Amino acid sequence: MGINNKKIYLDYNATTPVDPQVLSAMLPYFTENFGNASSASHAYGWDAEEAVEIAREQVSALIGAKTKEIIFTSGATEAINILLHGISLKKCHIITCQTEHNAVLRTCNAMEETDTTISRLSVNAEGAINLAELEAAIRPDTELICIMVVNNETGVIHPIKEISEIAKKHDLPLMVDATQALGKVAFNADESGVDFAAFSSHKIYGPKGVGGLYIRKSMTKKLHPFLTGGAQERGLRPGTLNVPGIVGMGKACELALQDLNDDYSKMTLLQERLEKGLFSIPGCQINGSQTKRSPYVTNAAFEGILGEKLIRKLKHIAISQGSACTSNTVEPSHVLSAMQLPEALALSAVRISMGKPTSTEDIDIAIQDITEAVKALRK
């Protein structure tokens, strides 16, 4: 099948390559500038601390925050755990959504084993929540609303500003998973009214193993330390800072802010081209809102085939499937199931996500090879 042998990566929602400028910024902090940012008694430590603070400024500039409102972590998952566990040391109620990333959902599942009660909002067929349902779910013991900005599987964008207005009306903090929004779509933490946000570096051409959380200044006392140890990062994330990683994340944020509008325009055109090509395949369905969706990702289902078989057939194209596979069973994506997709259609879905290096040629080859693969599988 297929005449194309060029390897094409279309799984940028999973991870991205490190930008050469990011790598260049990081390298000195592995060798000559190797100091511990907590070493306050000599120049090696001072230099490392200064580098961390510059990175903090770069991250805060990207999301519209104050520098002191940024805490560095090992990634979004750790940030989510710090936030969720840190807000609910006592018996309380948290509202989230059925289509959240597992970093949120599984943390909430674990918290239910204690005294925390979780409400999971439903979504419609386009992946959107009902704001009336959200407001109706608020109880006297509600401590937090937790909703993602951009869905990692479908790209659906939630109305964070409207959600924050409901939260403020009831004097509740709003936490968002901003992992797929950071550096991709316009997201201003202060203007949107969110109180907490989690995100990762490796989604925006920075290194893996580093991420961050935003904590609105007025909300600092709402959080209790989930981890214990040193006093780094205001005592909320103790441990020696990953200075090279943090420097890389800062540089990645600086570049993302610089290129945000141009990249968004490019992705919009590529997504339109991709989906026009996919729609020419009989039985193809694009999942998620057609108007409130990130241009970086397309979730497509192909009637009559299994998505995992399509992925294996595309030997030179890297795409993914939003389902959890085990050795014995394949389960449909929890996101697509919550959107009421029939199981067979949900199992046929694949996620195609684009990034800076993606070209028109890449998209055209992907369309051709997916078209041939679907035809072959249906035979």
Side-chain angles (χ1 to χ4, degrees):
M1 181 226 96
I3 58 174
N4 305 298
N5 293 319
K6 177 186 177 183
K7 286 177 65 177
I8 297 173
Y9 184 79
L10 292 173
D11 198 18
Y12 287 91
N13 270 26
T15 197
T16 60
V18 172
D19 186 289
Q21 295 179 74
V22 170
L23 179 59
S24 179
M26 292 172 64
L27 286 177
Y29 294 91
F30 287 107
T31 52
E32 60 263 31
N33 300 337
F34 58 86
N36 186 326
S38 297
S39 296
S41 60
H42 52 70
Y44 288 89
W46 304 335
D47 290 346
E49 182 184 22
E50 182 182 19
V52 168
E53 294 312 309
I54 290 171
R56 213 183 297 275
E57 291 172 3
Q58 292 166 321
V59 175
S60 63
L62 178 59
I63 69 166
K66 298 179 179 68
T67 304
K68 291 184 178 180
E69 293 175 324
I70 302 299
I71 297 293
F72 289 113
T73 69
S74 66
T77 296
E78 184 187 35
I80 286 165
N81 274 268
I82 290 171
L83 290 170
L84 286 175
H85 286 290
I87 203 120
S88 63
L89 288 183
K90 63 182 187 298
K91 182 177 181 180
C92 73
H93 172 239
I94 292 174
I95 299 170
T96 187
C97 179
Q98 293 177 5
T99 54
E100 293 293 303
H101 191 281
N102 276 327
V104 167
L105 293 180
R106 290 179 179 171
T107 303
C108 287
N109 291 347
M111 292 166 66
E112 278 187 310
E113 297 177 6
T114 58
D115 288 330
T116 304
T117 305
I118 309 293
S119 291
R120 299 169 181 82
L121 302 175
S122 63
V123 297
N124 63 17
E126 290 195 336
I129 66 169
N130 184 316
L131 295 180
E133 181 186 348
L134 166 61
E135 190 156 19
I138 296 172
R139 310 184 331 196
D141 63 338
T142 304
E143 287 285 340
L144 181 72
I145 297 171
C146 175
I147 304 290
M148 70 195 334
V149 184
V150 177
N151 188 273
N152 55 296
E153 291 190 27
T154 64
V156 169
I157 301 174
H158 288 301
I160 297 302
K161 181 65 176 177
E162 289 87 343
I163 294 169
S164 74
E165 289 170 356
I166 293 172
K168 297 298 176 289
K169 176 181 173 183
H170 294 272
D171 196 27
L172 290 173
L174 171 62
M175 166 189 164
V176 299
D177 174 359
T179 306
Q180 295 295 346
L182 186 74
K184 295 182 179 181
V185 303
F187 171 69
N188 185 294
D190 186 48
E191 292 177 2
S192 63
V194 309
D195 299 296
F196 308 108
F199 40 86
S200 282
S201 161
H202 72 104
K203 307 292 187 180
I204 57 166
Y205 312 94
K208 297 174 180 65
V210 61
L213 58 89
Y214 159 78
I215 304 170
R216 185 180 290 274
K217 185 179 179 181
S218 60
M219 289 288 161
T220 303
K221 293 182 180 179
K222 277 267 186 183
L223 285 180
H224 306 279
F226 170 57
L227 301 169
T228 56
Q232 294 93 342
E233 298 303 274
R234 305 213 306 266
L236 291 172
R237 204 281 180 175
T240 301
L241 293 178
N242 174 9
V243 177
I246 289 168
V247 168
M249 181 176 187
K251 186 63 177 180
C253 286
E254 179 185 72
L255 296 173
L257 180 59
Q258 173 185 302
D259 299 335
L260 184 66
N261 293 332
D262 288 345
D263 287 347
Y264 190 92
S265 298
K266 174 188 174 182
M267 294 307 141
T268 299
L269 293 174
L270 289 177
Q271 185 186 61
E272 290 173 355
R273 189 181 189 95
L274 171 66
E275 294 182 3
K276 181 180 179 181
L278 295 180
F279 272 130
S280 68
I281 303 172
C284 173
Q285 172 179 313
I286 305 299
N287 300 312
S289 170
Q290 295 304 297
T291 57
K292 298 176 181 177
R293 185 157 54 91
S294 166
Y296 282 79
V297 58
T298 292
N299 189 294
F302 300 93
E303 186 178 347
I305 69 167
L306 283 174
E308 63 166 340
K309 290 188 176 180
L310 174 59
I311 289 170
R312 288 204 297 266
K313 194 103 176 146
L314 299 169
K315 299 185 185 300
H316 302 289
I317 299 177
I319 60 176
S320 62
Q321 187 178 32
S323 63
C325 301
T326 69
S327 57
N328 298 317
T329 62
V330 178
E331 298 177 358
S333 153
H334 73 277
V335 172
L336 300 183
S337 296
M339 291 165 60
Q340 295 98 48
L341 254 71
E343 183 174 337
L345 198 58
L347 287 170
S348 78
V350 295
R351 182 183 72 177
I352 304 167
S353 49
M354 299 170 291
K356 285 177 180 286
T358 307
S359 66
T360 300
E361 180 190 18
D362 293 337
I363 295 302
D364 290 344
I365 293 172
I367 293 167
Q368 178 184 346
D369 282 10
I370 290 171
T371 301
E372 292 179 10
V374 170
K375 287 180 181 178
L377 289 169
R378 284 176 175 163
K379 288 180 182 179

Coordinates of all heavy atoms in Angstrom, one line a residue, residues 103-135:
A103 N -4.9 12.6 33.5 CA -4.1 13.2 34.6 C -5.1 13.8 35.7 O -4.8 13.8 36.9 CB -3.1 14.3 34.1
V104 N -6.2 14.4 35.2 CA -7.2 14.9 36.1 C -8.1 13.8 36.5 O -8.4 13.6 37.7 CB -8.0 16.0 35.4 CG1 -9.3 16.4 36.1 CG2 -7.2 17.3 35.2
L105 N -8.7 13.0 35.6 CA -9.7 12.0 35.9 C -9.2 11.0 36.9 O -9.9 10.6 37.9 CB -10.2 11.4 34.7 CG -11.0 12.3 33.7 CD1 -11.5 11.5 32.5 CD2 -12.2 12.9 34.4
R106 N -8.0 10.5 36.7 CA -7.5 9.4 37.6 C -7.1 10.0 38.9 O -7.1 9.3 40.0 CB -6.3 8.7 36.9 CG -6.8 7.8 35.7 CD -5.7 7.1 35.0 NE -6.2 6.3 33.9 CZ -5.5 5.6 33.0 NH1 -4.2 5.7 33.1 NH2 -6.1 4.9 32.1
T107 N -6.6 11.2 39.0 CA -6.3 11.9 40.2 C -7.6 12.0 41.0 O -7.7 11.8 42.2 CB -5.7 13.2 40.0 OG1 -4.5 13.1 39.3 CG2 -5.3 13.9 41.4
C108 N -8.7 12.4 40.3 CA -10.0 12.6 41.0 C -10.5 11.2 41.5 O -11.1 11.1 42.6 CB -11.0 13.2 40.0 SG -10.8 15.0 39.7
N109 N -10.3 10.2 40.7 CA -10.7 8.8 41.1 C -10.0 8.4 42.4 O -10.6 7.9 43.3 CB -10.4 7.8 40.0 CG -11.2 7.9 38.8 OD1 -12.2 8.6 38.8 ND2 -10.8 7.3 37.7
A110 N -8.7 8.7 42.5 CA -8.0 8.4 43.7 C -8.5 9.2 44.9 O -8.6 8.7 46.0 CB -6.5 8.7 43.5
M111 N -8.8 10.5 44.6 CA -9.3 11.3 45.7 C -10.7 10.9 46.2 O -11.0 11.1 47.4 CB -9.4 12.8 45.2 CG -8.0 13.4 45.0 SD -8.0 14.9 44.0 CE -8.8 16.0 45.2
E112 N -11.5 10.3 45.4 CA -12.8 9.8 45.8 C -12.6 8.7 46.9 O -13.6 8.4 47.6 CB -13.6 9.2 44.6 CG -14.3 10.3 43.8 CD -15.2 9.8 42.8 OE1 -14.7 8.9 42.0 OE2 -16.3 10.2 42.7
E113 N -11.5 8.0 46.9 CA -11.3 7.0 47.9 C -11.1 7.6 49.3 O -11.1 6.8 50.3 CB -10.1 6.1 47.5 CG -10.3 5.4 46.2 CD -9.0 4.6 45.8 OE1 -8.1 4.5 46.6 OE2 -9.0 4.1 44.6
T114 N -10.9 8.9 49.4 CA -10.9 9.5 50.7 C -12.2 10.2 50.9 O -13.3 9.6 50.8 CB -9.7 10.6 50.7 OG1 -9.9 11.5 49.7 CG2 -8.4 9.9 50.5
D115 N -12.2 11.4 51.3 CA -13.5 12.1 51.6 C -14.0 13.1 50.5 O -14.9 13.8 50.7 CB -13.4 12.9 53.0 CG -13.3 11.9 54.1 OD1 -13.9 10.9 54.1 OD2 -12.7 12.3 55.2
T116 N -13.3 13.1 49.4 CA -13.6 14.0 48.4 C -14.7 13.5 47.5 O -14.7 12.3 47.1 CB -12.4 14.4 47.5 OG1 -11.3 14.8 48.4 CG2 -12.7 15.4 46.5
T117 N -15.7 14.3 47.1 CA -16.7 14.0 46.2 C -16.5 14.7 44.9 O -16.2 15.8 44.9 CB -18.1 14.4 46.8 OG1 -18.3 13.9 48.1 CG2 -19.2 13.9 45.9
I118 N -16.7 13.9 43.8 CA -16.4 14.5 42.5 C -17.7 14.4 41.6 O -18.4 13.4 41.5 CB -15.3 13.6 41.7 CG1 -14.0 13.5 42.6 CG2 -15.0 14.3 40.4 CD1 -13.3 14.7 42.9
S119 N -18.0 15.6 41.0 CA -19.0 15.6 40.0 C -18.4 15.8 38.6 O -17.5 16.6 38.4 CB -19.9 16.8 40.2 OG -20.7 16.7 41.4
R120 N -18.8 14.9 37.7 CA -18.2 14.9 36.3 C -19.2 15.4 35.3 O -20.2 14.6 35.1 CB -17.6 13.5 36.0 CG -16.5 13.1 36.9 CD -16.2 11.6 36.7 NE -15.2 11.1 37.6 CZ -15.4 10.8 38.9 NH1 -16.6 10.8 39.4 NH2 -14.4 10.3 39.7
L121 N -19.1 16.5 34.8 CA -20.1 17.1 33.9 C -20.1 16.3 32.5 O -19.1 15.9 32.0 CB -19.8 18.6 33.6 CG -19.7 19.5 34.8 CD1 -19.3 20.9 34.3 CD2 -21.0 19.6 35.5
S122 N -21.3 16.2 32.0 CA -21.4 15.5 30.7 C -21.1 16.5 29.6 O -21.0 17.7 29.8 CB -22.8 15.0 30.5 OG -23.8 16.1 30.6
V123 N -21.0 16.0 28.4 CA -20.8 16.9 27.2 C -21.8 16.5 26.1 O -22.3 15.4 26.1 CB -19.3 16.8 26.6 CG1 -18.3 17.3 27.6 CG2 -19.0 15.4 26.2
N124 N -22.0 17.4 25.2 CA -22.9 17.0 24.1 C -22.1 16.3 23.0 O -20.9 16.0 23.1 CB -23.7 18.2 23.6 CG -22.7 19.3 23.0 OD1 -21.6 19.1 22.7 ND2 -23.2 20.5 22.9
A125 N -22.8 16.1 21.8 CA -22.1 15.4 20.7 C -20.9 16.1 20.1 O -20.1 15.5 19.5 CB -23.1 15.1 19.6
E126 N -20.8 17.4 20.4 CA -19.7 18.2 19.9 C -18.6 18.3 20.9 O -17.6 19.0 20.7 CB -20.2 19.6 19.5 CG -21.0 19.6 18.2 CD -21.2 21.0 17.7 OE1 -21.0 22.0 18.4 OE2 -21.5 21.1 16.5
G127 N -18.8 17.8 22.1 CA -17.8 17.8 23.2 C -17.9 19.0 24.1 O -17.0 19.2 24.9
A128 N -19.0 19.7 24.0 CA -19.2 21.0 24.8 C -19.9 20.7 26.1 O -20.9 19.9 26.1 CB -19.9 22.0 24.0
I129 N -19.6 21.3 27.2 CA -20.3 21.2 28.4 C -21.5 22.2 28.4 O -21.6 23.1 27.6 CB -19.5 21.5 29.6 CG1 -19.0 23.0 29.7 CG2 -18.3 20.6 29.7 CD1 -18.4 23.4 31.0
N130 N -22.5 21.9 29.2 CA -23.6 22.7 29.4 C -23.4 23.6 30.6 O -23.2 23.1 31.7 CB -24.9 21.9 29.6 CG -26.2 22.7 29.7 OD1 -26.2 23.7 30.4 ND2 -27.2 22.2 29.0
L131 N -23.3 24.9 30.4 CA -23.0 25.9 31.5 C -24.1 25.8 32.6 O -23.8 26.0 33.8 CB -22.8 27.3 31.0 CG -21.6 27.5 30.0 CD1 -21.5 28.9 29.6 CD2 -20.3 27.0 30.7
A132 N -25.3 25.6 32.2 CA -26.4 25.5 33.2 C -26.2 24.3 34.1 O -26.4 24.3 35.3 CB -27.8 25.4 32.5
E133 N -25.7 23.2 33.5 CA -25.4 22.0 34.3 C -24.3 22.2 35.2 O -24.3 21.7 36.4 CB -25.1 20.8 33.3 CG -24.8 19.5 34.1 CD -24.3 18.4 33.2 OE1 -24.4 18.5 31.9 OE2 -23.8 17.3 33.7
L134 N -23.3 23.0 34.8 CA -22.2 23.3 35.6 C -22.7 24.1 36.9 O -22.3 23.8 38.0 CB -21.2 24.2 34.9 CG -20.1 24.9 35.7 CD1 -19.2 24.0 36.5 CD2 -19.2 25.8 34.8
E135 N -23.5 25.1 36.6 CA -23.9 25.9 37.7 C -24.8 25.1 38.7 O -24.7 25.3 39.9 CB -24.7 27.2 37.2 CG -24.9 28.2 38.3 CD -25.1 29.6 37.8 OE1 -25.4 29.8 36.6 OE2 -25.0 30.5 38.6

